[in-house]
Amino acid sequence: MKKNRSGFLREIRSNGSAYLLVVPAAIYTLVFGYFTLPYMLIAFQKFNFKTGLFNSAWVGFDNFKFFFSSPRALEVTFNTLKLNFLFIMVGTLAAMALAILFNELRSRWFSRVTQSTILFPHFLSWVIVSYIVYSLLSTDYGILNRILAFFHVDPVNWYASPQYWTWILTTAAVWKDIGMNLVIYLAAITGIDDSYYEAGRIDGASRWQLIRHITIPLMLPTITILTLLALGKIMYGSFDMIYAIVKDNGLLYPTVDVIDTYVFRSLRTIGNPAQAMAVGLYQSVVGFILVWGSNKIVKKVNPDHALF
Amino acid sequence: MTSRPKFFDAVNAALIGIISILCILPMLLVLMVSFTDEASIKQFGYQLFPSELSLDAYKLLLFGSTPLYQSYMISIFVTVIGTILAVTITSMAGYTLAAKHIRYRNGLGLFFFITMVFNTGLVPWYLINLNLGMNNTIWALIIPSLVFNPFNLFLVRNYMSQIPPSLTEAAKIDGASDFYIAFRIFFPLCMPVLATITLFYGIAYWNNWFNAIMLVDNEKLYPLQYLLFKLNSEISMIQQMQSSGAILGSQTLPQESVKMATAILTIGPVVLFYPFLQRYFIKGLLIGSVKE
């Protein structure tokens, strides 16, 4: 023990300036990462800002009861899983198909130009995207209703019709991120050894057969890993997107309100941090189990790609 | 037999062409609406080819008394200062985590990694920021969740790990400190990955409105994206601009085109830097996602 300690001191003394370099990042992670942990306890309190974490009264599981006894619990959980699942699955399949098409392109120039336009939406904020969605769907001026009118279809009041929004949001998510996935999948295809294709061609395989028996099976491992890792994070995210596009439009909650937006509203609009934290704790715990589970599966498939 | 592949190539190219147009067409719609005369919008709705063009929205935004300049300044300040801080903090830590002569580098890596896997969520983050007095200061837009990102840290570390340790050893023999080695030897060698994280952080700062919605109520501190967010839901913000409507010489306020013009001005810098963005973004994705 003593020897170990002096080893520690000697290490710090001889490499002090290297450890100094890591201090800002470490302090940041300590404060915004580790120091946030105790605040999770307010899920069990009747928290208010005046008394704070240390002096608020404990109420056991009341905050959880409040959430889980309301029908919203099931609704927001289901919506979170549904939307994220669709974003991941539709996004992956679309990008995969597009990557295969791109790989068949002959003109490098054309490939580069089209790739940069497809990648462009990725750099837009969701607020900007919300304007785009609005310019398409606005009841008064939106272009989509004009198109429907052209085909003699009655206009739709999109912002009051929750049934369409699962797919509207999926389309927006796929549209925004397909370029990024395309880049990754194209790289996976480019990594495939040319000799497979040569062998296939010598055996007289058609282009479709080359795609079906070489390109797809060989890009699948990369895609499986990325999809599994993405599925691990299925409990989180999409706040930026959904709140920018939907805001506090209660009419659409049945299909688009997710855990993140629910927590946000409990915290900032309703102003009840303890109840918000109870839902957040539920999200963190289930979320962690899913990350852990998906990582375990990835480890089985290919240990090199596991996160931990 | 030769005609079939040619036919396929043509169809394929056409399909990709259409998809790539679909990716920017909605953006072009916003652009065109921003140049459309307000009366024409009221009559025909948003059009890709407006019946009547007008510069009113831009005149109002650029020469009227709008909050646009203020927000632009905030966004630029936050993006520049934030990105510089973030890249410095991240690359310094990346050096130590990659340095093979550092005994506790893996332990430190784990220390950062745990926060990536277990997310405590929105509420503790918010309360910590209140306790630190971040709310309603410019720092709320720079420090929380933006100034350091472990994903970028590991990107830098992985890149720096490829530099042979003999280089560090040689420099050490010559009496160089870790500070010197990091800033004078490693960082110049790692320009591609540093450019990539600069881009990641820069985009994250420019597009961020989450910190503002959580921590900022003071209109003077609204970054562009949050101004834009507010503009769509609060008509009052546009009505405030009414006072400056005089410069247009008309009574009607170009409400719809002003919104779209603000959106266009908000993505301005992104379009300006796009060739650079795209190049380093693709590089970064490939460093980060595809392991050889």
Side-chain angles (χ1 to χ4, degrees), chain B residues 8 16 24 27 41 48 69 73 100 106 119 139 141-142 151 159 164 181 219 230 234 240 270 287:
Chain B
F8 171 82
I16 287 177
I24 48 164
M27 206 56 245
I41 295 176
L48 205 49
Y69 284 110
M73 285 303 157
K100 301 213 169 44
N106 290 331
N119 193 333
W139 301 108
L141 304 174
I142 294 180
F151 172 82
Y159 196 91
I181 299 171
E219 278 183 36
K230 284 281 198 188
E234 290 172 24
Q240 276 176 14
V270 177
I287 299 171

Side-chain angles (χ1 to χ4, degrees), chain A residues 106-120:
Chain A
R106 294 292 167 82
S107 160
R108 289 208 124 206
W109 168 85
F110 185 69
S111 170
R112 211 173 305 145
V113 171
T114 45
Q115 259 191 73
S116 33
T117 48
I118 292 174
L119 190 58
F120 184 70

